Amino acid sequence: PVSVPEKLGTPSGFSMQDNGGIWTLSWGSVANASGYMFCQTNGSGNWYSCSDASYTFVNAPQAGDSYQVYAVGDGTAYLDGDSASFTY
């Protein structure tokens, strides 16, 4: 039988934490994700690859900053999931 790729779930459960001036945005893991793509939508608009369900910032986030994250599939058994949005 032909295997149909499964679309991954959408990240949820966002949390922003300040650990001594090091800011990290984390979210709940998506089952079978090989990684995540992260973007600050009101910033550069560049997408960054994350191997874990978190992103650590170089600069402190500002109130109103908005982000998008989606789970990355392996392209064979799992397809990329839908992106989720979070506003700080």
Coordinates of all heavy atoms in Angstrom, one line a residue:
P1 N 0.8 -1.2 0.0 CA 0.0 0.0 0.0 C 0.9 1.3 0.0 O 1.9 1.3 0.6 CB -0.8 -0.1 1.3 CG 0.0 -1.0 2.1 CD 0.7 -2.0 1.2
V2 N 0.3 2.3 -0.6 CA 1.0 3.6 -0.7 C 0.8 4.3 0.6 O -0.3 4.4 1.1 CB 0.5 4.4 -1.9 CG1 1.2 5.8 -1.9 CG2 0.8 3.7 -3.2
S3 N 1.9 4.8 1.2 CA 1.8 5.6 2.5 C 1.5 7.1 2.2 O 2.2 7.7 1.4 CB 3.1 5.5 3.2 OG 3.1 6.3 4.4
V4 N 0.5 7.6 2.8 CA 0.1 9.0 2.6 C 0.8 9.8 3.7 O 0.5 9.5 4.9 CB -1.4 9.2 2.6 CG1 -1.8 10.7 2.5 CG2 -2.0 8.4 1.4
P5 N 1.5 10.8 3.4 CA 2.1 11.6 4.5 C 1.1 12.2 5.4 O 0.0 12.6 5.0 CB 2.9 12.7 3.8 CG 3.1 12.2 2.4 CD 1.9 11.4 2.1
E6 N 1.4 12.3 6.7 CA 0.5 12.9 7.7 C 1.0 14.3 8.0 O 2.2 14.6 8.2 CB 0.6 12.0 9.0 CG -0.2 12.6 10.1 CD 0.0 11.7 11.4 OE1 0.4 10.5 11.3 OE2 -0.2 12.3 12.5
K7 N 0.0 15.2 8.0 CA 0.4 16.6 8.4 C 0.6 16.7 9.9 O -0.2 16.2 10.7 CB -0.8 17.6 7.9 CG -0.5 19.0 8.1 CD -1.6 19.9 7.4 CE -1.3 21.3 7.5 NZ -2.3 22.1 6.9
L8 N 1.6 17.4 10.3 CA 1.9 17.6 11.7 C 0.9 18.5 12.4 O 0.3 19.3 11.7 CB 3.3 18.1 11.9 CG 4.5 17.1 11.5 CD1 5.8 17.9 11.6 CD2 4.5 15.9 12.4
G9 N 0.9 18.5 13.7 CA 0.0 19.3 14.4 C 0.6 20.8 14.5 O 1.7 21.1 14.0
T10 N -0.2 21.6 15.2 CA 0.1 23.0 15.3 C 0.7 23.3 16.7 O 0.1 22.9 17.7 CB -1.1 23.9 15.0 OG1 -1.7 23.5 13.8 CG2 -0.8 25.4 15.0
P11 N 1.8 24.0 16.8 CA 2.3 24.3 18.1 C 1.3 25.1 19.0 O 0.5 25.9 18.5 CB 3.6 25.2 17.9 CG 4.0 24.8 16.5 CD 2.7 24.5 15.8
S12 N 1.4 24.9 20.3 CA 0.5 25.6 21.2 C 1.2 25.7 22.6 O 2.3 25.2 22.8 CB -0.9 24.9 21.3 OG -0.7 23.6 21.9
G13 N 0.5 26.4 23.5 CA 1.1 26.5 24.9 C 2.3 27.4 25.0 O 3.3 27.0 25.6
F14 N 2.3 28.5 24.3 CA 3.4 29.4 24.3 C 3.7 30.0 25.7 O 2.8 30.3 26.4 CB 3.2 30.6 23.3 CG 3.2 30.1 21.9 CD1 2.0 29.7 21.2 CD2 4.4 30.0 21.2 CE1 2.1 29.2 19.9 CE2 4.4 29.6 19.9 CZ 3.2 29.2 19.3
S15 N 5.0 30.3 25.9 CA 5.4 30.8 27.2 C 6.7 31.6 27.0 O 7.6 31.2 26.3 CB 5.7 29.7 28.2 OG 6.3 30.2 29.4
M16 N 6.7 32.9 27.5 CA 7.9 33.7 27.4 C 8.5 33.8 28.7 O 7.8 34.1 29.7 CB 7.5 35.1 26.9 CG 8.7 36.1 26.6 SD 9.6 35.7 25.1 CE 8.6 36.4 23.9
Q17 N 9.8 33.5 28.8 CA 10.5 33.6 30.1 C 11.8 34.4 30.1 O 12.5 34.3 29.1 CB 10.8 32.1 30.5 CG 9.6 31.3 30.7 CD 9.9 29.8 30.9 OE1 11.0 29.3 30.6 NE2 9.0 29.1 31.6
D18 N 12.0 35.1 31.1 CA 13.2 35.9 31.3 C 14.1 35.2 32.4 O 13.7 35.1 33.5 CB 12.9 37.3 31.8 CG 14.1 38.2 32.1 OD1 15.2 37.7 31.8 OD2 13.9 39.2 32.7
N19 N 15.2 34.7 32.0 CA 16.1 34.0 32.9 C 17.4 34.9 33.0 O 18.4 34.6 32.3 CB 16.4 32.6 32.4 CG 17.2 31.8 33.4 OD1 17.5 32.3 34.5 ND2 17.6 30.6 33.0
G20 N 17.4 35.9 33.9 CA 18.5 36.7 34.1 C 18.9 37.5 32.8 O 20.1 37.6 32.5
G21 N 17.9 38.0 32.1 CA 18.2 38.8 30.9 C 18.3 38.0 29.6 O 18.5 38.5 28.6
I22 N 18.2 36.6 29.8 CA 18.1 35.8 28.6 C 16.7 35.3 28.4 O 16.1 34.7 29.2 CB 19.1 34.5 28.8 CG1 20.5 35.0 28.9 CG2 18.9 33.6 27.6 CD1 21.5 34.0 29.0
W23 N 16.1 35.8 27.3 CA 14.7 35.6 27.0 C 14.5 34.4 26.1 O 15.2 34.3 25.1 CB 14.1 36.8 26.4 CG 14.0 38.0 27.3 CD1 15.0 38.9 27.6 CD2 12.8 38.4 28.1 NE1 14.5 39.8 28.5 CE2 13.2 39.5 28.8 CE3 11.5 37.9 28.2 CZ2 12.3 40.1 29.7 CZ3 10.7 38.5 29.0 CH2 11.0 39.6 29.7
T24 N 13.5 33.5 26.5 CA 13.3 32.3 25.7 C 11.8 32.2 25.5 O 11.0 32.3 26.5 CB 13.8 31.1 26.4 OG1 15.2 31.2 26.6 CG2 13.5 29.8 25.6
L25 N 11.4 32.0 24.3 CA 10.0 31.7 23.9 C 9.9 30.2 23.7 O 10.7 29.6 23.0 CB 9.5 32.4 22.7 CG 8.1 32.1 22.2 CD1 7.1 32.5 23.2 CD2 7.9 32.7 20.8
S26 N 9.0 29.5 24.5 CA 8.9 28.1 24.3 C 7.5 27.7 24.0 O 6.6 28.5 24.2 CB 9.4 27.3 25.6 OG 8.7 27.8 26.7
W27 N 7.3 26.5 23.5 CA 5.9 26.0 23.2 C 5.9 24.5 23.3 O 7.0 23.9 23.5 CB 5.6 26.4 21.7 CG 6.6 26.0 20.7 CD1 6.7 24.9 20.0 CD2 7.7 26.8 20.3 NE1 7.8 24.9 19.2 CE2 8.4 26.0 19.3 CE3 8.2 28.1 20.6 CZ2 9.6 26.5 18.7 CZ3 9.3 28.5 20.0 CH2 10.0 27.8 19.0
G28 N 4.7 24.0 23.3 CA 4.6 22.5 23.5 C 5.1 21.8 22.3 O 4.9 22.2 21.1
S29 N 5.8 20.7 22.5 CA 6.3 19.9 21.4 C 5.2 19.3 20.5 O 4.1 19.0 21.0 CB 7.1 18.7 21.9 OG 8.1 19.1 22.9
V30 N 5.5 19.2 19.3 CA 4.5 18.6 18.3 C 5.1 17.2 18.0 O 6.2 17.0 17.6 CB 4.4 19.4 17.0 CG1 3.6 18.7 16.0 CG2 3.8 20.8 17.3
A31 N 4.2 16.2 18.2 CA 4.6 14.8 18.0 C 5.2 14.6 16.6 O 4.6 15.1 15.6 CB 3.5 13.8 18.2
N32 N 6.3 13.9 16.4 CA 6.9 13.5 15.1 C 7.5 14.7 14.4 O 8.0 14.5 13.2 CB 5.9 12.8 14.2 CG 5.4 11.5 14.9 OD1 6.1 10.7 15.4 ND2 4.0 11.4 15.0
A33 N 7.6 15.9 15.0 CA 8.3 17.0 14.3 C 9.8 16.7 14.3 O 10.4 16.3 15.3 CB 8.0 18.3 15.1
S34 N 10.5 17.1 13.2 CA 11.9 17.0 13.2 C 12.6 18.3 13.6 O 13.8 18.3 13.7 CB 12.4 16.5 11.8 OG 11.9 17.5 10.8
G35 N 11.8 19.3 13.8 CA 12.3 20.6 14.2 C 11.1 21.6 14.0 O 10.0 21.3 13.8
Y36 N 11.5 22.9 14.1 CA 10.5 24.0 14.1 C 11.1 25.1 13.3 O 12.3 25.3 13.2 CB 10.1 24.5 15.5 CG 9.6 23.4 16.3 CD1 10.4 22.5 17.1 CD2 8.2 23.1 16.3 CE1 9.9 21.5 17.8 CE2 7.7 22.1 17.1 CZ 8.5 21.3 17.8 OH 8.0 20.2 18.5
M37 N 10.2 25.9 12.7 CA 10.6 27.2 12.1 C 10.0 28.3 12.8 O 8.8 28.2 13.2 CB 10.2 27.2 10.6 CG 11.0 26.2 9.7 SD 12.8 26.5 9.6 CE 12.8 28.0 8.7
F38 N 10.7 29.4 13.1 CA 10.3 30.5 13.9 C 10.5 31.8 13.2 O 11.5 32.0 12.5 CB 11.2 30.4 15.2 CG 11.0 31.7 16.1 CD1 10.0 31.7 17.0 CD2 11.9 32.7 15.9 CE1 9.9 32.8 17.8 CE2 11.7 33.9 16.7 CZ 10.7 33.9 17.6
C39 N 9.6 32.7 13.4 CA 9.7 34.0 12.7 C 9.1 35.1 13.7 O 8.0 34.9 14.3 CB 8.9 34.0 11.4 SG 8.9 35.6 10.6
Q40 N 9.8 36.2 13.8 CA 9.2 37.4 14.4 C 8.5 38.2 13.3 O 9.2 38.8 12.5 CB 10.2 38.3 15.2 CG 9.6 39.4 15.9 CD 10.6 40.2 16.7 OE1 11.6 39.7 17.1 NE2 10.2 41.5 17.0
T41 N 7.2 38.2 13.3 CA 6.5 38.8 12.2 C 6.5 40.3 12.1 O 6.3 40.9 11.1 CB 5.0 38.2 12.1 OG1 4.4 38.4 13.4 CG2 5.0 36.7 11.8
N42 N 6.7 40.9 13.3 CA 6.8 42.4 13.2 C 8.3 42.9 13.2 O 8.6 44.0 13.5 CB 6.1 43.0 14.4 CG 6.7 42.7 15.8 OD1 7.2 41.6 16.0 ND2 6.7 43.7 16.7
G43 N 9.2 41.9 13.0 CA 10.6 42.3 12.9 C 11.2 42.1 11.5 O 10.6 42.6 10.6
S44 N 12.3 41.4 11.4 CA 12.9 41.2 10.1 C 12.1 40.4 9.1 O 12.2 40.5 7.9 CB 14.3 40.5 10.3 OG 14.1 39.2 10.7
G45 N 11.2 39.5 9.7 CA 10.4 38.6 8.8 C 11.2 37.4 8.4 O 10.7 36.6 7.7
N46 N 12.5 37.3 8.9 CA 13.3 36.1 8.6 C 12.8 34.9 9.4 O 12.5 35.0 10.6 CB 14.8 36.3 8.9 CG 15.4 37.4 8.0 OD1 14.9 37.6 6.9 ND2 16.4 38.1 8.5
W47 N 12.9 33.7 8.8 CA 12.5 32.5 9.5 C 13.8 31.8 10.0 O 14.8 31.8 9.3 CB 11.8 31.5 8.5 CG 10.4 31.9 8.3 CD1 10.0 32.8 7.3 CD2 9.2 31.6 9.0 NE1 8.6 33.0 7.4 CE2 8.1 32.2 8.4 CE3 9.0 30.8 10.1 CZ2 6.8 32.1 8.9 CZ3 7.7 30.6 10.6 CH2 6.6 31.3 10.0
Y48 N 13.8 31.3 11.2 CA 14.9 30.6 11.8 C 14.5 29.2 12.1 O 13.4 28.9 12.6 CB 15.4 31.3 13.1 CG 15.8 32.8 12.8 CD1 14.9 33.8 12.9 CD2 17.0 33.1 12.3 CE1 15.2 35.1 12.7 CE2 17.4 34.4 12.0 CZ 16.5 35.4 12.2 OH 16.9 36.7 11.9
S49 N 15.5 28.3 12.0 CA 15.3 26.9 12.3 C 15.6 26.6 13.7 O 16.6 27.1 14.3 CB 16.2 26.0 11.4 OG 16.1 24.7 11.7
C50 N 14.8 25.9 14.4 CA 14.9 25.5 15.8 C 14.9 24.0 15.9 O 14.0 23.4 15.4 CB 13.9 26.1 16.7 SG 13.6 27.8 16.6
S51 N 15.8 23.4 16.6 CA 15.8 21.9 16.8 C 14.9 21.5 17.9 O 14.3 20.4 17.9 CB 17.2 21.4 16.9 OG 17.8 22.0 18.1
D52 N 14.7 22.4 18.9 CA 13.9 22.2 20.0 C 12.6 23.1 20.0 O 12.6 24.0 19.2 CB 14.6 22.4 21.3 CG 15.8 21.4 21.5 OD1 15.7 20.3 21.2 OD2 16.9 21.9 21.9
A53 N 11.7 22.8 20.9 CA 10.5 23.6 21.0 C 10.7 24.9 21.8 O 10.0 25.2 22.7 CB 9.4 22.8 21.6
S54 N 11.7 25.7 21.4 CA 12.0 27.0 22.0 C 12.9 27.8 21.1 O 13.6 27.3 20.2 CB 12.6 26.8 23.4 OG 13.9 26.2 23.2
Y55 N 12.9 29.1 21.4 CA 13.8 30.0 20.7 C 14.3 31.0 21.7 O 13.6 31.6 22.5 CB 13.0 30.8 19.6 CG 13.9 31.7 18.8 CD1 14.7 31.3 17.7 CD2 14.0 33.1 19.1 CE1 15.5 32.1 17.0 CE2 14.8 33.9 18.4 CZ 15.6 33.5 17.4 OH 16.4 34.3 16.7
T56 N 15.7 31.2 21.7 CA 16.3 32.1 22.7 C 16.7 33.4 21.9 O 17.3 33.4 20.8 CB 17.5 31.5 23.3 OG1 17.1 30.3 24.0 CG2 18.2 32.5 24.3
F57 N 16.3 34.6 22.5 CA 16.5 35.9 21.9 C 17.8 36.5 22.2 O 18.3 36.3 23.3 CB 15.4 36.8 22.3 CG 14.0 36.4 21.9 CD1 13.3 35.5 22.7 CD2 13.5 36.9 20.7 CE1 12.0 35.2 22.3 CE2 12.2 36.5 20.3 CZ 11.5 35.6 21.1
V58 N 18.4 37.2 21.3 CA 19.6 38.0 21.5 C 19.2 39.3 22.3 O 19.9 39.7 23.2 CB 20.3 38.4 20.2 CG1 21.5 39.3 20.4 CG2 20.7 37.2 19.4
N59 N 18.1 39.9 22.0 CA 17.6 41.1 22.6 C 16.3 40.8 23.3 O 15.5 40.0 22.9 CB 17.4 42.2 21.6 CG 18.7 42.6 20.9 OD1 19.7 42.8 21.5 ND2 18.7 42.6 19.6
A60 N 16.0 41.6 24.4 CA 14.7 41.4 25.1 C 13.6 41.7 24.2 O 13.6 42.7 23.4 CB 14.7 42.3 26.3
P61 N 12.5 40.9 24.2 CA 11.3 41.2 23.4 C 10.6 42.4 23.9 O 10.7 42.8 25.1 CB 10.5 39.9 23.6 CG 10.9 39.4 24.9 CD 12.3 39.7 25.0
Q62 N 9.9 43.1 23.0 CA 9.1 44.3 23.4 C 7.6 43.9 23.4 O 7.2 43.0 22.7 CB 9.3 45.4 22.4 CG 10.7 45.8 22.2 CD 11.3 46.3 23.5 OE1 10.8 47.2 24.1 NE2 12.5 45.8 23.9
A63 N 6.8 44.5 24.3 CA 5.4 44.3 24.3 C 4.8 44.5 22.9 O 5.1 45.5 22.3 CB 4.7 45.2 25.3
G64 N 4.0 43.6 22.5 CA 3.4 43.7 21.2 C 4.1 43.0 20.1 O 3.6 42.9 19.0
D65 N 5.3 42.5 20.4 CA 6.0 41.7 19.4 C 5.2 40.5 19.1 O 4.6 39.9 19.9 CB 7.4 41.3 19.9 CG 8.5 42.4 19.8 OD1 8.2 43.4 19.3 OD2 9.6 42.1 20.4
S66 N 5.2 40.1 17.8 CA 4.4 38.9 17.4 C 5.3 37.9 16.7 O 6.3 38.3 16.0 CB 3.3 39.3 16.5 OG 3.7 40.1 15.4
Y67 N 4.9 36.6 16.8 CA 5.8 35.5 16.3 C 4.9 34.5 15.7 O 3.7 34.4 16.0 CB 6.5 34.9 17.5 CG 7.2 35.9 18.4 CD1 6.6 36.4 19.5 CD2 8.5 36.4 18.0 CE1 7.3 37.3 20.3 CE2 9.1 37.3 18.8 CZ 8.5 37.8 19.9 OH 9.1 38.8 20.7
Q68 N 5.5 33.7 14.8 CA 4.9 32.5 14.2 C 5.8 31.4 14.3 O 7.0 31.5 14.2 CB 4.5 32.8 12.7 CG 3.3 33.6 12.6 CD 2.8 33.6 11.1 OE1 3.6 33.8 10.2 NE2 1.5 33.3 11.0
V69 N 5.3 30.2 14.5 CA 6.0 29.0 14.7 C 5.3 27.8 14.0 O 4.0 27.8 14.1 CB 6.2 28.6 16.1 CG1 7.0 27.2 16.3 CG2 7.0 29.6 16.9
Y70 N 6.0 27.0 13.2 CA 5.4 25.8 12.7 C 6.3 24.6 12.9 O 7.5 24.8 12.9 CB 4.9 26.0 11.3 CG 5.9 26.1 10.2 CD1 6.5 25.0 9.6 CD2 6.3 27.4 9.8 CE1 7.4 25.2 8.6 CE2 7.3 27.6 8.8 CZ 7.8 26.4 8.2 OH 8.7 26.6 7.2
A71 N 5.7 23.4 13.0 CA 6.5 22.2 13.1 C 7.0 21.7 11.7 O 6.2 21.8 10.7 CB 5.7 21.1 13.7
V72 N 8.2 21.2 11.6 CA 8.8 20.8 10.3 C 8.7 19.3 10.3 O 9.1 18.6 11.2 CB 10.2 21.3 10.2 CG1 10.9 20.7 8.9 CG2 10.3 22.8 10.2
G73 N 8.2 18.8 9.2 CA 8.1 17.3 9.0 C 9.3 16.8 8.3 O 10.2 17.6 7.8
D74 N 9.4 15.5 8.1 CA 10.6 14.9 7.4 C 10.4 14.9 5.9 O 11.3 14.5 5.2 CB 10.9 13.5 7.9 CG 9.7 12.5 7.7 OD1 8.7 12.9 7.0 OD2 9.7 11.4 8.3
G75 N 9.2 15.3 5.4 CA 9.0 15.4 4.0 C 8.6 14.1 3.4 O 8.2 14.0 2.2
T76 N 8.6 13.0 4.1 CA 8.2 11.7 3.6 C 7.0 11.2 4.3 O 5.9 11.1 3.7 CB 9.4 10.7 3.8 OG1 10.6 11.2 3.2 CG2 9.1 9.3 3.2
A77 N 7.1 10.9 5.6 CA 6.0 10.4 6.4 C 5.2 11.5 7.0 O 4.0 11.4 7.3 CB 6.5 9.4 7.5
Y78 N 5.8 12.7 7.2 CA 5.2 13.8 7.9 C 5.4 15.1 7.1 O 6.6 15.4 6.7 CB 5.7 14.0 9.3 CG 5.5 12.8 10.1 CD1 6.5 11.8 10.3 CD2 4.2 12.5 10.7 CE1 6.2 10.7 11.1 CE2 4.0 11.4 11.4 CZ 4.9 10.5 11.6 OH 4.7 9.3 12.3
L79 N 4.4 15.8 6.9 CA 4.4 17.1 6.2 C 4.4 18.3 7.3 O 4.0 18.1 8.4 CB 3.2 17.3 5.3 CG 3.0 16.3 4.2 CD1 1.7 16.6 3.5 CD2 4.2 16.3 3.3
D80 N 5.0 19.4 6.9 CA 5.0 20.6 7.8 C 3.6 20.9 8.3 O 2.6 20.8 7.6 CB 5.5 21.8 7.1 CG 7.0 21.7 6.7 OD1 7.6 20.7 7.1 OD2 7.4 22.6 6.0
G81 N 3.5 21.3 9.6 CA 2.2 21.6 10.2 C 1.8 23.1 9.9 O 2.6 23.8 9.3
D82 N 0.6 23.5 10.3 CA 0.2 24.9 10.2 C 1.0 25.7 11.2 O 1.4 25.3 12.3 CB -1.3 25.0 10.5 CG -2.1 24.4 9.3 OD1 -1.7 24.3 8.2 OD2 -3.2 23.9 9.7
S83 N 1.1 27.0 10.9 CA 1.8 27.9 11.8 C 0.8 28.4 12.9 O -0.3 28.6 12.6 CB 2.5 29.1 11.1 OG 1.5 29.9 10.5
A84 N 1.4 28.7 14.1 CA 0.7 29.2 15.2 C 1.3 30.6 15.5 O 2.4 30.8 15.2 CB 0.8 28.3 16.4
S85 N 0.4 31.5 15.9 CA 0.8 32.9 16.2 C 0.8 33.1 17.7 O 0.0 32.5 18.5 CB -0.1 33.9 15.6 OG 0.0 33.7 14.2
F86 N 1.8 34.0 18.2 CA 1.8 34.3 19.6 C 2.2 35.8 19.6 O 3.1 36.2 18.9 CB 2.9 33.5 20.3 CG 3.2 33.9 21.7 CD1 2.3 33.6 22.8 CD2 4.3 34.7 22.0 CE1 2.6 34.0 24.1 CE2 4.6 35.1 23.3 CZ 3.8 34.8 24.3
T87 N 1.6 36.6 20.5 CA 1.9 38.0 20.7 C 2.3 38.2 22.1 O 1.6 37.8 23.0 CB 0.7 38.9 20.3 OG1 0.4 38.7 18.9 CG2 1.1 40.4 20.5
Y88 N 3.5 38.8 22.3 CA 4.0 39.0 23.7 C 3.3 40.2 24.3 O 3.1 41.2 23.7 CB 5.5 39.3 23.6 CG 6.1 39.5 24.9 CD1 6.1 38.6 25.9 CD2 6.8 40.7 25.2 CE1 6.7 38.8 27.2 CE2 7.4 41.0 26.4 CZ 7.3 40.0 27.4 OH 7.9 40.2 28.6

